[in-house]
Amino acid sequence: MMRRARGFTLVELLVVLTLSSVIMLALVAALRSMSQTELRVDQWLARLDERRVVQNFVPSILGRVSARRAEASGPAGRPVVLFDGRPDSVSWVGVMPAREGAGGRYHFRLALEPGRLHATDAPQVLVVRYLPFRLGATVQDWAAAEARVLLRDALGLVLAYEDARRKPAEWVDHWTVTERLPDAVRIRISTARDDLPLLFVPLRVLPWGAGAGSGVATFGGGAEE
């Protein structure tokens, strides 16, 4: 007599389907966790790269500053240096590093700007704007300048300027000496997570031959002749 083949019971099928569902859910959760971890790592690396750019790029362009004087004179008839140091922004004339692909002398401005102006979700971003140097230009149209976002989660920018000619040397939050440059700039940048290390940028005055012009340079906040 032939025996009937025994198949799986309904209970056994339900158990297998349940185990399969549990395994699939575990795999999906693991893949999602891996994807989120990878995204967080990418974001962390992006923030780290932005900080590296700030700590290297800003001193490289602000540390080599021109003491070029404007054609217009100040209230006392003394020459006015093209440098505007404020508590929350600084503008100057300097030289773009050759590695940026746009060498030569430029007007620069470092400040915080609304993130919406640069198509980002961040409330504020740290931006450097730059325009080709124009002889005799004292007021710049920064809205028409090229812009580079340096830091996307910036919350604060506090600047101070060293006047080493005072005894003792003093840091001021607004540079009002129009006939010469400060000796150094201190930059404090805060983000949504923490503060970046303080940047101390000694100002090394460019010779006239760097980028444009000619003449003699002095160092430590001196003036070009």
Side-chain angles (χ1 to χ4, degrees):
M1 184 176 67
M2 298 181 59
R3 295 183 179 180
R4 296 179 59 186
R6 184 178 180 277
F8 294 106
T9 65
L10 181 59
V11 174
E12 291 173 335
L13 288 175
L14 290 175
V15 170
V16 171
L17 290 176
T18 301
L19 291 174
S20 300
S21 299
V22 171
I23 294 172
M24 290 299 297
L25 288 174
L27 288 174
V28 170
L31 291 174
R32 182 179 301 162
S33 177
M34 290 175 60
S35 176
Q36 292 174 347
T37 300
E38 183 178 0
L39 178 61
R40 287 194 294 268
V41 169
D42 288 342
Q43 292 173 343
W44 179 80
L45 290 175
R47 290 195 300 269
L48 187 64
D49 188 58
E50 284 185 340
R51 292 177 179 227
R52 180 187 58 80
V53 168
V54 170
Q55 293 171 344
N56 292 313
F57 181 69
V58 171
S60 72
I61 58 172
L62 179 55
R64 303 174 65 219
V65 61
S66 171
R68 185 68 183 260
R69 298 183 177 92
E71 291 183 356
S73 297
R78 306 186 70 177
V80 176
V81 175
L82 294 175
F83 183 92
D84 185 14
R86 305 187 182 192
D88 56 358
S89 68
V90 58
S91 58
W92 70 98
V93 175
V95 171
M96 184 75 75
R99 63 178 179 274
E100 300 298 326
R105 193 166 297 202
Y106 283 79
H107 297 275
F108 291 98
R109 179 177 183 267
L110 180 71
L112 293 182
E113 296 185 7
R116 56 181 173 79
L117 297 179
H118 303 276
T120 71
D121 296 331
Q124 293 186 117
V125 291
L126 181 65
V127 176
V128 60
R129 289 187 176 269
Y130 50 95
L131 287 164
F133 174 74
R134 294 181 299 161
L135 186 64
T138 56
V139 178
Q140 307 303 322
D141 182 10
W142 294 114
E146 294 286 339
R148 176 174 177 178
V149 175
L150 301 179
L151 195 63
R152 297 183 184 276
D153 62 344
L155 288 183
L157 174 66
V158 180
L159 298 159
Y161 308 91
E162 184 187 26
D163 189 351
R165 296 193 184 183
R166 298 189 182 186
K167 301 299 180 183
E170 182 179 351
W171 287 90
V172 296
D173 60 5
H174 195 166
W175 187 252
T176 58
V177 183
T178 59
E179 67 271 13
R180 60 183 173 87
L181 294 167
D183 295 271
V185 179
R186 184 180 66 205
I187 306 173
R188 186 188 302 274
I189 303 169
S190 59
T191 72
R193 294 168 179 80
D194 54 13
D195 294 347
L196 273 66
L198 276 176
L199 288 176
F200 293 91
V201 184
L203 298 190
R204 181 168 62 88
V205 180
L206 290 166
W208 283 87
S214 61
V216 178
T218 60
F219 295 83
E224 289 173 339
E225 301 296 340

